[in-house]
Amino acid sequence: MSSKEELMKRLGIDIDSETLRLALTHRSYSYENGGIPTNERVEFLGDSILGFSVAEYLYKKYPDLPEGDLAKRRAAIVSTRALAIIARDLGVGEHIFLGRGEAQSNGANKASILADTMEALIGATYLDQGMDAARALVLRFVTPLLEDVRLLGAATDWKTVIQEEVAAKKLGDMRYQVTGSGPDHARTYEATLVISDEPYGSGHGPSKKEAEQEAARNSWLQLHPGEQIPRS
């Protein structure tokens, strides 16, 4: 099975090779290859389809929720973090056409690049297969994240949330202990939130920021055992 066929199988779609290549072409690759078309225009299209499809789904699924709550849930599951999780689960990164510099800096695992590529794949599906297929792709992979514990509260700035809580409860000084491992082009980070010299939640990620956000979220869970994590 070819690389293209494997990706199409994971996505559950079948789009032509030219449209797929366009969706997977990052601007860094275009710059190094004579300015060939990038995925930015089709990403723009996919972003609109994603937003509408999720809004329609939420409107129908939660008929009693006010507009503000619907907006918060939509923000959580169309966020960069949410789309990057989908892309990582599907192994999209290994198929993206990146320039040499971006590839060497672990661009295939960067949340922003993965999220943009997922939007481009949605747009490409629309161009090749139409709106029903594009909407089905969104419903298949994006809307289930409403029940995914990794993304409950994905739109929340957890570092700010935990900082405000520590201050309000006068729990003491807080800091993040961060370590990195792996080669420069594929660096990963682990962060642990320390409050009054006591370690709380830890987190991992391809950047210090993502690792610290996850550590802050896991610390919130530690401080609120048994409570449902907020969705906003």
Side-chain angles (χ1 to χ4, degrees):
M1 183 180 294
S2 70
S3 174
K4 179 223 179 220
E5 290 171 337
E6 178 62 31
L7 181 58
M8 292 297 92
K9 181 180 178 181
R10 293 176 191 170
L11 289 166
I13 58 176
D14 185 18
I15 57 180
D16 70 80
S17 297
E18 184 176 346
T19 305
L20 176 62
R21 186 179 180 88
L22 176 64
L24 296 171
T25 300
H26 187 257
R27 62 177 176 271
S28 62
Y29 185 87
S30 169
Y31 179 78
E32 295 180 6
N33 289 273
I36 62 174
T38 75
N39 64 4
E40 291 179 348
R41 280 172 53 84
V42 71
E43 171 204 330
F44 166 79
L45 185 60
D47 176 64
S48 298
I49 295 166
L50 170 66
F52 171 76
S53 299
V54 170
E56 180 186 47
Y57 171 84
L58 292 171
Y59 181 84
K60 292 178 178 178
K61 182 175 178 63
Y62 302 104
D64 299 322
L65 275 186
E67 182 272 340
D69 289 339
L70 292 173
K72 289 177 181 179
R73 295 191 183 208
R74 180 180 61 185
I77 61 173
V78 302
S79 66
T80 295
R81 183 181 174 197
L83 294 172
I85 283 177
I86 297 169
R88 290 189 182 112
D89 286 349
L90 292 169
V92 170
E94 63 192 84
H95 300 281
I96 303 174
F97 295 98
L98 297 168
R100 288 187 297 274
E102 196 64 72
Q104 290 172 358
S105 64
N106 200 26
N109 196 36
K110 287 182 180 177
S112 59
I113 291 177
L114 290 170
D116 290 347
T117 304
M118 278 306 305
E119 290 179 339
L121 287 166
I122 294 167
T125 302
Y126 167 78
L127 290 175
D128 193 73
Q129 298 291 325
M131 186 62 186
D132 288 346
R135 184 189 288 110
L137 179 62
V138 172
L139 295 178
R140 188 157 58 249
F141 292 109
V142 179
T143 54
L145 294 179
L146 282 167
E147 310 304 327
D148 192 324
V149 72
R150 291 173 299 177
L151 280 170
L152 296 178
T156 298
D157 179 357
W158 287 106
K159 290 181 68 175
T160 298
V161 169
I162 202 72
Q163 183 176 353
E164 291 175 349
E165 178 155 352
V166 168
K169 293 182 177 179
K170 299 180 180 178
L171 299 178
D173 295 333
M174 58 172 281
R175 57 191 169 85
Y176 292 90
Q177 290 181 338
V178 182
T179 58
S181 61
D184 289 342
H185 67 277
R187 201 106 173 121
T188 58
Y189 296 88
E190 179 176 358
T192 300
L193 177 60
V194 178
I195 305 172
S196 292
D197 294 326
E198 290 291 329
Y200 279 74
S202 296
H204 299 79
S207 70
K208 292 180 181 178
K209 181 179 179 181
E210 290 184 66
E212 289 176 353
Q213 283 285 352
E214 185 173 308
R217 185 183 74 94
N218 289 335
S219 297
W220 188 94
L221 288 170
Q222 237 178 285
L223 290 169
H224 298 266
E227 290 188 33
Q228 183 178 16
I229 199 168
R231 289 182 179 267
S232 60

